[in-house]
Each structure stands twice: as C-alpha cells, then as structure tokens.
Amino acid sequence: MKGYAGNILFVNLTDGSIKREPLEEAVARKFIGGTGVNALLAYRHIKAGIDPLSPDNALIMGAGPLVGTLIPGSARVEVTAKSPLTGVIGISNGGNTPGIMLKYAGYDHLVVTGKADKPVYLKIDDDRVEICDADHLWGKDTFETTDALWDELGDNFWISAIGVAGESLVRYALILNNKHSAFSRTGLGAVMGSKNLKAIAARGTRGIEVADGPGFMNLTKELLDKVAAFPLLKEWRTVGFFMAFEPYTSMGYMLGKNNTESAEDIMERFPIKEYLSRVRKGSTSCPGCSLGCKGRVEMQDGKYEGLRFRLSTPAVAVGAFGGLVAVEGFDEVMKCAELSNRYGMDLDSLTATIGFAIELYQKGILTDEDTGGLELDWGTETVRTLLDRIAQRDGFGRLLGEGVVRAAEEIGKGADYYAVHIKGMDLGLGLRGRLSTENFGQATNPRGAHLDRSPSISFMPGRKKESYVKYCRSIGVPEDRVEAVCTGPENFNVARLTRWVEDYNTILFSLGLCHRTPISQHYNLDLFARLYSTATGLEMNPEEIRQAGERAWNLSRAFNMREGKTKTDDFFPERLMKESVTLRKGEIPAADPEMVEQLLNEYYEERGWEADTGNPGPQKLNELGIDT
Amino acid sequence: MAETMVPQSIVTDPEKCAGCLSCQLICSYTHTGRFNPLCAYIRINLRDDYRIEFTEECTECGLCVEYCTYGALQPTGEEE
Ligand code: SF4
Ligand code: SF4
Ligand code: SF4
C-alpha cells in the first residue's frame, strides 16, 4: 500500500507503553484515512459515557493518504476525541501540523490514551518514540512552549502545543501547531491537558512514496495549473476569508453581539485597505498548497506596533472579536487573537461564551455578585479582562471556561435560551433566512454546529436546475436520487442535498484535502478515485469511495447515538426559532420549527435513518458493513 | 547534516516565503523518489522567519523555482 505510511502508533501515557500496529488494507479501503479511520479508532477506543477529561478518552491524530504530497491543499490532518465541550465526537482539522511529520515518520495515525502522572511531551523522531519530561514547559504559553522545544530538539521538529487554557481544562482549549495553525474546535487542547500532555513533537525523514509516480504527478500538475488560473487567486491570497464578509453579512449569516444584531457594518469598522496597509505583512500557507490563504500579521504602527505572528484566518478573528463581542479596531482584535492563540483557546467558542455572558449581564440574569464585581459590556475592555480570567480559570473565568451550555446550566434563570448552539457547539453561521447546505449542515454535523463538512454550490443563490444536476453527478448522487435532490423553488432540496454533500466532503477530509472553495472546487468524485489509486495503488471505483464517506459519517453518528443523542439534538437553537433579526434590507424572520422538523425528516429519509430518532440503526450499519 | 551552499542561478526572498514547502516536495520527489521535505536539497526553516538555505547536494535543476508560486525563489537576473 503506497501513499499511506502503513502504521498506527499507540501511546498509553498511564503505563508508558508504546506500540505500532499496521494499518490494514481492509480498513484503509473501508475508511480511506484521516477523518474516516479516526472515526473508526474513536468508536473502538473511546467507550460510551466516559468523561472526556478522564484518562479513558483517546486523542487520535490522523493524516489521510494524500497528506504530505504536492497535491494542492493536501495538508489537512484531523484530530478526534470525545469533546469536553459537547460530549459528542470532537473533530478538529488543521493544516500545518506535526500530523504531516508523523506520516513522514511512518505513521498515518496516532492514538494517545491514559494519563501521565506528571507533565510530559511526546517525541516522535522516525522510529524513536519517547515520552519526555515536560515539567519545564508546564505553565508556558503555546509560543513559548514551541520555542523551547525548537531550542531543545532542533527546529525541524514540528510541534503541537497547548497553552495555559489547555492545562486549566478550558473546555474549548485548542492545540496550536508550529505557532500558528490550530486544531481549534471542540476543546481538544483540554483533552491533552487532562492527560498531562503538554506537546507533541514530530520529525520524519522516511517520506512518502506513491504507487504510480508519473500518473500522480500528471494529476498534480493539472490541479496546480487550475489553482494558478483561478481568477481570484490573488485576492484569496491577500484578502483571504474577508472575501466572504459581504455575502455572509448581507444574508444575515454573520451576526454581531451574541448573534442578536446585524454585523453589516463590520467592513466599515474593519476596512480591507487598512488591513492590507497596516496589519497584513504576507501570506502563510499549509504545506503543499499553492493558494496560501493564511496570514502573516505585522502591525506597522499604533499601540501594538511590531506585534508579529502568523494567523490562520485573520478574517475569522475580526468576525469573532470585532463582531460577536464588538472589540474596537484591528489593533485590539489582533492583540486578542494573539493572546487567545498564546493561551490556546478557540476564538470562536471564546467569543461566543463572552458574548453570551455580556448579554446575560445586561439583561440582569448575571449580576455583579456572579461576576465578582466585573461590569460586563461590549468591547475591548471586558473582552481583555475575561480572556485572561478564562484562560486561568480565575474567579468568574472558571464558569465561562465551561462553555455556553454548562455555564447556562449553572446560571439557571433561563440562561440557556441565550446560549446559541447545536449539540453544545456554538453556531458558526446564521440559520435564519435562506438555507444552503452550508448553514443547514450545522444541524446534522456530528460535531455540532460547524459548517466545514457541508459547503456546496448551493451557497450562492440563483443557480439553474442543470447546474445542480451536474453537480450532483460530480459528487456521486445516484441517478435515481437526482430528481428528488434537485427540486424546489431554488432547484435543490437542502436537506436531501446536504446528505450527499456530507458524504462527499467526508472523503475530501479523509484523503487529507482542504475544503476552501478555491481548492475544493477543482475536485470531484472521479478525480478522488484517480488520485487514490495513483497514490496508493489500490483500485476503488467512485461509488466505493463515496460509500467510504457515508460509512465514516454513519459511524460518527453512531458514536453520538451511543452517547444518548437523538432528534432534538439536531434542532436549530431555540432562540433562532423565536426571534427575527433586522438587517439593512429588512427583517429576516425566525426559523419555523415545523420547517426544521420537516427538513430533518427529509434528511433522515435520504440517509435511511430512523425517522423519530435519526438513529442509523442496525440495518443501515449492517448495509454499510459496520460492525459495532 | 549536509553543508549549505549558495546557488548561482537562484535568488531567494524569505520575506515572500509562505512556508508552502512546494520547493522541498518537488526537490525530494524528483531527486529521491519520495515526498520528503527534510531530505530535500533546499531547507525552509518554519521557525518565525522562514529562512531559506540550499544544501551542497543541490544540482541547481531549477524545479523548486518553477514550483514556488509565491515569488520567494526566482532565477538570477529575473527577480522582481
Ligand atoms: S487553502 Fe488555505 S487552509 Fe487550505 S490548504 Fe491552502 S493555505 Fe491551507
Ligand atoms: S534547484 Fe533543484 S536540486 Fe536544487 S534545491 Fe531546487 S529542486 Fe532541489
Ligand atoms: S516554494 Fe517558495 S514559498 Fe513555498 S516554501 Fe519554498 S520558497 Fe517558500
């Protein structure tokens, strides 16, 4: 089996045992790699009902069969565990991570279980795997930890580190890679913290061989040419995700102040011209990517003149800090982004939690007594204070480090209504108004409200039926389902289309590719099959590849069902089904609960899941050859 | 570890380097048959400033220049 490194590395921090097992061809064929094999390992190694912050949880890192090659966007590595934030399957995907070095060292997957009795870091240097003392690193932030390890081991080790927030078990703590690329979501930094695992350092020099070199390089060149010819390449490289602000805000997908008001003024408050002249110094890219959508921040003047760091998505930092909690100006937003990366906290969940607290305080649900005398208001001052306190779980920061769902439970007094989340994960995109697969998919994503598994051509309105039919064929919708998927006022049924888009994107991630449109638009199911066979030498037809995606999706769902989840956990947040929101062009009404129920029913039907629970059930799992 | 050298035919501009490692990937693939950045004849140091160095094994074949789409590697005399 080429393309793969061929091994899974198991490390038990309780007894210090380290073992290698081969990645079996049958598993590779059934689950492809990355997301898929991670789902299988999670299902096998994490028992139902365990405490995610206990030694029983497993932290699983997986690099798919294309990771580490020159295929555009082939850098995406996934980490999976039971999430301390949501209690369901926790998944986080990153680009510039030791997962790539892990693969060059000979391992496609790493499974860390148990708990060390004192701080340690894991060192993987080709065949030499060691659990090393990390007493000297504990208490350091992610940047300091990484620098210290680079000083110690040499700077060709790639480093995943947690900061103070991971140590203090903030439930949305992140893992920061090489000082900029994050496994941000679902609190997997806290899983490392709970294991006393401060960092993972990896270096690999075995490299990756592909089965059909000339064939693989021909496909690589074709794809590189397509990315180079993409008309908006330069804009994506310089402006990055700011490109999406206009459609996101005008459709009401991106909102301010705990999702209560329009964020349409964000581009006026954060002008692109200023970003390019004062904030952004250059591009940063994931390995093997010719797009380079990430940023290199270097403040040219002002209060934080000279502040320099690399940041995955500066626009997301602006949307989160500038929008959700109304931090003023680029200077303060970039300082907040740097601090949250140093402390190691996911800035999306962080700002969602802070916004939730500010709103509760202003409504009188939280009082000075609860906050320890802190007056909470929108803007920089409150955010900077809370950022420090949350990371250290100091005073009122302890409560907010629990995330919105647990904090709401503790606060009581109807606070849960203001916690805007699905399955415990704060909302990524608005759900009122027009639904595309991207925002609707937040309801059905196993890791909770997140949109990266469901982007599709449905995001932009106004496409003809022929476009949808063509698109459906390109992602593997069977002929007998195309008509049912491509119907409706906009020529698609959002629930039914979401099902197929999820299967397809699960393959994208399982192979190790990037979901950003300028990259992902050049792929299709046939191409996945050709890339897979030229890289690995294993022949799989497009339908077999698609089914592997479906299998991984169902297994992740089965993981959640085992944790007691059911149909109500797929519903939109209550608040979004009760309150409208006002944009410049007018009001967007609340989502209609009956419509949501109808969509979920259609989605379950399209998936072949049980109608009243959304459970895949034994028959479906059997059909997919999943042995639970 | 191999000694470094300064190629005559390539000009580097680390300020423009995005750390995409395409140069190392194409170099290692072409000269060793494997995608293996740490065995490439060009080194990119991902620590802070993305320093660029060449090892003395470099044949100046120019492939890394061809695959660098960020302008950090350019043929001598053609740099911007
Ligand atoms: S498009 Fe951006 S996030 Fe995706 S692989 Fe390239 S640099 Fe990384
Ligand atoms: S010029 Fe050729 S041999 Fe030298 S570093 Fe570049 S690709 Fe490698
Ligand atoms: S290809 Fe260019 S931008 Fe990419 S790492 Fe090499 S020198 Fe830097």
Side-chain angles (χ1 to χ4, degrees), chain A residues 218-234:
Chain A
N218 279 342
L219 292 173
T220 303
K221 281 187 200 129
E222 262 174 49
L223 283 159
L224 283 168
D225 287 346
K226 283 185 182 162
V227 175
F230 176 54
L232 295 175
L233 174 71
K234 185 161 169 274

Side-chain angles (χ1 to χ4, degrees), chain B residues 10 27 31 41-42 54 58-64:
Chain B
I10 304 170
C27 180
H31 298 292
Y41 306 152
I42 175 169
F54 295 82
C58 168
T59 61
E60 304 207 29
C61 71
L63 272 174
C64 53

Side-chain angles (χ1 to χ4, degrees), chain A residues 258-551:
Chain A
N258 199 29
N259 290 291
T260 55
E261 59 178 56
S262 165
E264 283 163 296
D265 63 351
I266 199 138
M267 294 166 81
E268 292 138 39
R269 290 173 49 226
F270 295 90
I272 284 297
K273 260 193 170 163
E274 185 185 342
Y275 172 68
L276 295 176
S277 64
R278 293 188 56 231
V279 182
R280 178 192 177 276
K281 183 71 188 200
S283 283
T284 302
S285 174
C286 302
C289 185
S290 50
L291 187 76
C293 72
K294 300 176 160 199
R296 185 173 135 218
V297 171
E298 196 171 320
M299 299 306 296
Q300 296 302 304
D301 50 37
K303 188 170 169 190
Y304 302 112
E305 185 180 343
L307 175 68
R308 301 168 69 204
F309 62 109
R310 293 180 193 265
L311 184 60
S312 281
T313 37
V316 170
V318 168
F321 285 110
L324 275 182
V325 289
V327 166
E328 298 92 354
F330 277 114
D331 303 74
E332 295 298 350
V333 163
M334 290 303 145
K335 187 65 196 168
C336 286
E338 188 226 14
L339 283 173
S340 55
N341 268 0
R342 279 185 180 271
Y343 280 133
M345 288 186 283
D346 170 28
L347 52 82
D348 286 303
S349 291
L350 173 72
T351 50
T353 312
I354 293 177
F356 162 76
I358 296 173
E359 195 185 357
L360 290 186
Y361 181 82
Q362 300 202 329
K363 290 205 151 60
I365 298 172
L366 277 174
T367 63
D368 286 339
E369 206 183 315
D370 300 309
T371 65
L374 285 178
E375 286 177 25
L376 308 187
D377 199 359
W378 302 108
T380 308
E381 204 183 321
T382 294
V383 173
R384 281 293 299 273
T385 307
L386 290 181
L387 220 155
D388 295 338
R389 300 234 177 142
I390 294 172
Q392 286 149 3
R393 304 297 292 261
D394 171 22
F396 181 55
R398 183 206 58 80
L399 178 72
L400 298 190
E402 291 292 290
V404 289
V405 173
R406 279 188 176 72
E409 260 169 38
E410 240 184 88
I411 296 162
K413 298 186 259 182
D416 57 338
Y417 178 77
Y418 301 96
V420 181
H421 71 91
I422 298 173
K423 298 181 191 68
M425 167 68 84
D426 40 279
L427 205 65
L429 268 193
L431 278 165
R432 288 170 282 212
R434 182 174 182 274
L435 292 176
S436 69
T437 59
E438 190 165 39
N439 56 349
F440 175 74
Q442 296 175 106
T444 53
N445 191 325
R447 70 164 156 171
H450 202 271
L451 42 102
D452 69 342
R453 307 289 136 131
S454 54
S456 76
I457 64 162
S458 65
F459 181 72
M460 293 309 276
R463 288 187 196 273
K464 295 203 172 76
K465 180 155 178 167
E466 300 88 86
S467 305
Y468 281 103
V469 171
K470 191 168 161 222
Y471 174 71
C472 280
R473 292 190 174 129
S474 78
I475 65 167
V477 179
E479 279 308 315
D480 62 353
R481 295 308 306 154
V482 170
E483 192 50 38
V485 172
C486 302
T487 39
E490 281 204 61
N491 300 313
F492 70 100
N493 173 306
V494 70
R496 296 191 190 280
L497 181 57
T498 296
R499 177 249 141 112
W500 299 101
V501 167
E502 289 166 345
D503 289 355
Y504 174 77
N505 281 320
T506 302
I507 294 302
L508 183 97
F509 282 101
S510 296
L511 289 167
L513 296 172
C514 179
H515 69 292
R516 293 254 189 265
T517 324
I519 296 290
S520 62
Q521 66 179 339
H522 304 300
Y523 292 94
N524 56 58
L525 197 64
D526 279 340
L527 186 52
F528 285 169
R530 278 190 288 149
L531 284 168
Y532 186 76
S533 67
T534 49
T536 66
L538 305 177
E539 287 302 327
M540 298 249 294
N541 66 40
E543 173 53 18
E544 288 169 326
I545 296 260
R546 187 209 56 75
Q547 211 185 37
E550 181 183 6
R551 195 172 287 122

Side-chain angles (χ1 to χ4, degrees), chain A residues 195-213:
Chain A
K195 297 187 173 308
N196 272 332
L197 180 60
K198 179 69 178 170
I200 299 169
R203 174 169 72 175
T205 60
R206 297 158 65 104
I208 296 157
E209 211 179 341
V210 292
D212 166 12

